[in-house]
Amino acid sequence: MLKTRFTEEFGVEHPIVQGGMMWVGRSELAAAVSNAGGLGIITALTQPTPDALAREIERCKAMTDKPFGVNLTLTLSINPPPYAEYRQVIIDSGVKIVETAGSDPSVHVEHLKEHGIKVIHKCTSVRHALKAERIGVDAVSIDGFECAGHPGEDDVPGLVLIPAAADALSIPFIASGGFADGRGLAAALALGADGINMGTRFMCTQESPIHDNIKNRIVGASELDTQLIFRQLRNTMRASRNSVSEEVVDILNKGGRFKDVKDLVAGTRGRKVYEEGDPEFGIWTVGVVQGLIKDIPSAGEVVRRTAADAEERLLGLSRDVIVASPASAAV
């Protein structure tokens, strides 16, 4: 059993989190992860209204009696969602874990903590993680450059970002971006993290609500089959490399602005990719870790085998790696 500060603080069996993913984080997936001992996450804004989120939370409760959380991603937009209403639904539902991401979560953290809710904030840099720690979150998720979605603008990969976070933070943190199996979990723990967050790996499971065509696309893809878009706008996003992402990059490279690509990158098109299975219809996010994914198991199997493999690898290293003292080396 891999016990860490994260498992103790959040009451889960394994230090494995299924991150909140737009259009993917629904009850079937979240409950399956939680039932296997990980931490499943429902994505609030996947639900069209706060009332729909309330119903989704009740569905998840009917599927698991284990801890699960709700993701609330805060974005800057002309017509922002009613965040306060979504937050109140989470509070009223009795959910005790929230994952925040995106913009400054201070006002939400204040309200959530007043009701005994633990908050994990997703960050892409140590400086942002330290700010999250100062405003009172209970843990942070550190997203390395390898991650799907928005990796930030610093381009620091996990191999450096994770130990840098371990050196700077006093609260528990989980590592995100580039994790798909027990090797990654063992490495993250060795680098100082208290667990891992996996998104792309859980997209490619039986309970994932995305179309089988997309799951098979992930299985058949390599680590080279993603593309960074919006670099020119300093809002970098990692997506699957397809005809749409290539067109977006070409337009922006030629001096285009967001208005010139907004129809190409519309979220409704990405949602249809997941629902209808045409990987060339729109922009959809996936991490470079897809190159390590070769099957479509149940979410529970992913949790169990990731934890078991990590434990076996860590125990194996303790047996197989001989650290000689200076005295014995001299002899």
Side-chain angles (χ1 to χ4, degrees):
M1 296 292 290
L2 297 172
K3 293 295 183 184
T4 71
R5 292 187 301 169
F6 185 82
T7 62
E8 296 298 312
E9 181 78 11
F10 289 85
V12 294
E13 183 179 352
H14 303 301
I16 298 169
V17 179
Q18 166 251 315
M21 297 171 281
M22 196 64 177
W23 316 126
V24 182
R26 301 180 187 271
S27 291
E28 288 80 4
L29 178 58
V33 172
S34 290
N35 282 332
L39 179 63
I41 303 284
I42 293 172
T43 308
L45 298 185
T46 291
Q47 302 302 317
T49 65
D51 285 344
L53 174 60
R55 292 191 293 271
E56 188 72 3
I57 290 172
E58 290 307 309
R59 287 184 65 233
C60 198
K61 286 181 178 179
M63 297 178 196
T64 184
D65 59 359
K66 302 288 184 67
F68 67 90
V70 176
N71 166 279
L72 188 62
T73 296
L74 313 167
T75 59
L76 299 175
S77 60
I78 296 173
N79 298 303
Y83 289 119
E85 294 178 32
Y86 277 99
R87 183 185 69 223
Q88 192 59 49
V89 163
I90 295 168
I91 292 169
D92 293 343
S93 73
V95 167
K96 291 303 180 184
I97 300 171
V98 168
E99 176 192 66
T100 56
S103 303
D104 185 347
S106 297
V107 64
H108 300 288
V109 171
E110 178 182 347
H111 284 278
L112 294 168
K113 297 285 287 181
E114 284 177 356
H115 292 85
I117 297 172
K118 294 184 182 297
V119 180
I120 307 165
H121 186 60
K122 188 176 290 187
C123 311
T124 60
S125 70
V126 173
R127 64 185 181 279
H128 293 150
L130 286 169
K131 180 178 180 181
E133 182 178 60
R134 287 195 298 272
I135 66 174
V137 304
D138 300 277
V140 293
S141 174
I142 290 284
D143 280 19
F145 182 57
E146 304 91 337
C147 73
H150 295 279
E153 306 303 316
D154 296 340
D155 297 357
V156 181
L159 195 61
V160 172
L161 190 60
I162 298 167
D167 288 344
L169 295 168
S170 60
I171 58 175
F173 78 96
I174 55 175
S176 181
F179 298 102
D181 54 32
R183 294 173 296 181
L185 174 54
L189 295 176
L191 290 169
D194 299 287
I196 58 171
N197 175 90
M198 296 192 292
T200 301
R201 173 65 273 189
F202 283 118
M203 286 172 64
C204 212
T205 58
Q206 294 169 15
E207 294 86 354
S208 168
I210 66 178
H211 198 283
D212 284 348
N213 287 355
I214 305 304
K215 297 178 187 180
N216 289 324
R217 174 78 166 235
I218 293 171
V219 169
S222 82
E223 65 276 11
L224 302 178
D225 294 322
T226 71
Q227 185 152 33
L228 296 173
I229 65 174
F230 301 156
R231 298 238 82 182
Q232 302 87 341
L233 307 179
R234 292 196 59 77
N235 187 28
T236 300
M237 179 179 180
R238 187 181 298 282
S240 175
R241 183 184 296 273
N242 63 11
S243 57
V244 183
S245 68
E246 295 278 8
E247 186 176 355
V248 169
V249 169
D250 183 59
I251 291 171
L252 295 179
N253 278 341
K254 292 176 178 177
R257 305 303 298 165
F258 181 74
K259 64 182 178 61
D260 302 308
V261 299
K262 65 182 180 67
D263 292 334
L264 290 171
V265 302
T268 52
R269 292 183 62 162
R271 181 175 184 172
K272 280 193 173 182
V273 169
Y274 291 143
E275 291 177 348
E276 299 179 7
D278 180 358
E280 298 294 325
F281 186 76
I283 296 294
W284 54 284
T285 62
V286 70
V288 294
V289 77
Q290 68 181 345
L292 301 179
I293 296 173
K294 304 303 179 186
D295 61 358
I296 308 173
S298 70
E301 182 180 348
V302 168
V303 172
R304 289 186 292 269
R305 77 185 187 192
T306 298
D309 186 41
E311 184 174 359
E312 182 178 344
R313 287 176 184 277
L314 291 169
L315 290 171
L317 284 172
S318 69
R319 292 191 302 265
D320 299 339
V321 177
I322 300 173
V323 180
S325 68
S328 62
V331 174

